[in-house]
DNA sequence: GTCATCATGTAAGCCGTTACATGATTGC
DNA sequence: GCAATCATGTAACGGCTTACATGATGAC
């Protein structure tokens, strides 16, 4: 899980440990927060495995909106020089390596064991192509639909029935509603992804696909752009 | 987390390990499933601590609806004798002790570290009185409301903005919706609990309170309101 | 007599945590 | 100078998992 989070974050831009922790909480919600005690050893491990490498010290702060395929380190360094002349020797800035990118793709495709991992996979699924994303979403959907609780009113007598008090019933009903909400969220994602696949004939360059993905946004609740 | 689950389950009725695992998955959803590798050592630990004790072997299956204050072990043994003459020597049936009940109450009142624990606390909160339940629900509500994500449309520029792609936006929006859903679920629970407190003047016997809690049930059909 | 299920346990290991230790930079 | 924050790390430990080992019971 940590590897996925770290590699995913670093595939956006090079970062140092402290900043990684902050951005992780931001991207994946406070529930995915990790402690330094696991973060730094993990970075060391990833570096030893050749999946990330330390680059020149670069304060990241508010980065440039990432204009395109421009080498991320270069951009970051440039931003630094422009912003302040200070050097911060104590920071170790990590960047993802090609091997790391490869590993990231593996981690994104690998069936998620838990909710948090799936969450992270979605957060970084921009690195996949539409077909792979569809697989990701649909696998999750199948998983959810499988061990779905029976609906609130149904068949109280079946299944041993540990639901003999109001609180367990409330819990059970809420669980059911939450699952349904996630299912329809997934259905939306899947439907949109299918549209992308239809609009972009196979073989089209990923640059075009990426641009398209940015443009095609659902008008929902103020998420206009 | 395991202790809470085990003590909670055993406070309903005596059970052996294998059965505990099954019922745990049932009550708390498949996400709370534990493996034998942690279950049995945990039971051993609880026994050594005097929070549970082994009782005579009792096949539990469909237990009697737990008529009241009747000693649970006695009931279970009686059920056994009536159902079949077989003895299953290999099972170790555990029952909760008074010390265990006390510990259970502690665990139910202790601020939940994670979602799963809160889930379990609700599942077993029948053992608390209304005031304590209210505290439980309201603490959770405060927690949720605190690090609540900003609403979907709001203030894109703030907060460093790691939300530059549609998938992260979708994730973020869903998170927001899920939090709101849980908040209103909690509000319902809290409102109902307040009604109970109002209906039952302080000082009333807990037996009456329990009967009342059983009787005042929302007409299902979901969390309408 | 053999297979599936029920039933209990141990050992090794993974993945994360908290607590501790250290030091640089910035603002007052 | 002093405190708050930034920044990196280590050590000990906790809780849960998988894999392994064992054996009883019941169905066919």
């Amino acid at each position: 899980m940590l590897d996925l989070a770290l590699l995913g974050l670093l595939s956006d831009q090079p970062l140092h440990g402290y900043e990684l922790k902050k951005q992780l909480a931001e991207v994946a919600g406070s529930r995915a927060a990790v402690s330094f005690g696991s973060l730094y050893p993990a970075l060391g491990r990833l570096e030893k495995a050749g999946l990330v490498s330390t680059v020149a010290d670069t304060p990241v702060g508010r980065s440039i909106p990432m204009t395109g395929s421009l080498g991320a380190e270069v951009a970051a360094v440039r931003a630094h020089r422009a912003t302040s002349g200070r050097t911060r020797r104590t920071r170790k800035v990590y960047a993802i390596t090609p091997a790391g990118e490869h590993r990231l793709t593996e981690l994104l495709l690998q069936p998620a064991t838990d909710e948090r991992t799936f969450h992270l996979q979605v957060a970084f699924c921009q690195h996949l192509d539409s077909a792979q994303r569809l697989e990701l979403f649909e696998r999750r959907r199948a998983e959810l639909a499988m061990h779905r609780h029976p609906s609130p009113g149904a068949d109280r007598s079946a299944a041993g029935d540990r639901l003999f008090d109001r609180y367990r019933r409330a819990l059970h009903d809420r669980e059911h509603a939450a699952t349904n909400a996630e299912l329809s969220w997934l259905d939306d994602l899947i439907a949109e992804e299918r549209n992308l696949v239809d609009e972009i004939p196979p073989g089209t360059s990923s640059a075009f696909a990426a641009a398209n993905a940015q443009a095609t946004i659902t008008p929902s609740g103020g998420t206009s752009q």
Side-chain angles (χ1 to χ4, degrees), chain A:
Chain A
M1 206 218 77
L2 243 184
D3 287 13
L4 171 58
L6 263 23
L7 292 174
L9 246 19
L10 290 179
S11 73
D12 287 341
Q13 62 191 305
L15 289 169
H16 59 274
Y18 198 89
E19 184 71 20
L20 275 165
K21 183 168 143 70
K22 281 200 291 186
Q23 293 208 7
L24 184 54
E26 209 177 288
V27 162
S30 40
R31 62 158 124 297
V34 291
S35 63
F36 290 123
S38 59
L39 179 66
Y40 288 116
L43 282 170
R45 192 168 18 85
L46 289 176
E47 189 180 11
K48 210 159 65 180
L51 305 179
V52 305
S53 61
T54 58
V55 301
D57 182 8
T58 61
V60 172
R62 61 244 91 250
S63 65
I64 348 175
M66 198 63 94
T67 358
S69 55
L70 169 67
E73 305 111 76
V74 183
V77 171
R78 194 173 301 165
H80 175 206
R81 300 282 177 243
T83 321
S84 79
R86 306 287 174 78
T87 29
R88 305 271 248 99
R89 257 167 291 268
T90 54
R91 300 196 294 193
K92 275 175 78 174
V93 175
Y94 294 92
I96 195 167
T97 64
E101 300 267 15
H102 182 255
R103 177 71 181 137
L104 174 58
T105 305
E106 268 180 24
L107 290 172
L108 285 170
L109 292 175
Q110 190 171 295
T113 55
D114 60 301
E115 217 167 309
R116 279 159 64 169
T117 301
F118 175 71
H119 208 273
L120 287 172
Q121 287 177 327
V122 174
F124 301 121
C125 73
Q126 45 178 331
H127 297 289
L128 300 176
D129 62 42
S130 274
Q132 292 173 319
R133 272 193 291 266
L134 264 177
E135 199 193 314
L136 173 66
F137 301 152
E138 277 168 349
R139 196 192 307 122
R140 172 72 176 181
R141 202 201 182 285
E143 192 86 359
L144 267 187
M146 193 139 44
H147 38 64
R148 181 188 198 168
H149 295 215
S151 57
D155 204 7
R156 211 53 101 187
S157 58
D161 218 331
R162 289 309 126 211
L163 302 171
F164 41 65
D165 80 30
R166 59 203 314 250
Y167 303 105
R168 288 186 201 176
R169 245 188 312 263
L171 221 39
H172 196 267
D173 292 354
R174 184 181 120 61
E175 198 86 343
H176 185 75
T179 303
N180 284 341
E182 179 160 3
L183 280 173
S184 69
W185 179 76
L186 282 168
D187 286 339
D188 286 356
L189 271 184
I190 289 169
E192 283 188 50
E193 205 63 47
R194 287 241 172 78
N195 284 342
L196 289 184
V197 175
D198 291 347
E199 282 162 23
I200 305 163
T204 313
S205 87
S206 64
F208 173 60
N212 203 297
Q214 285 293 338
T216 320
I217 285 168
T218 50
S220 71
T223 324
S224 66
Q225 196 212 24

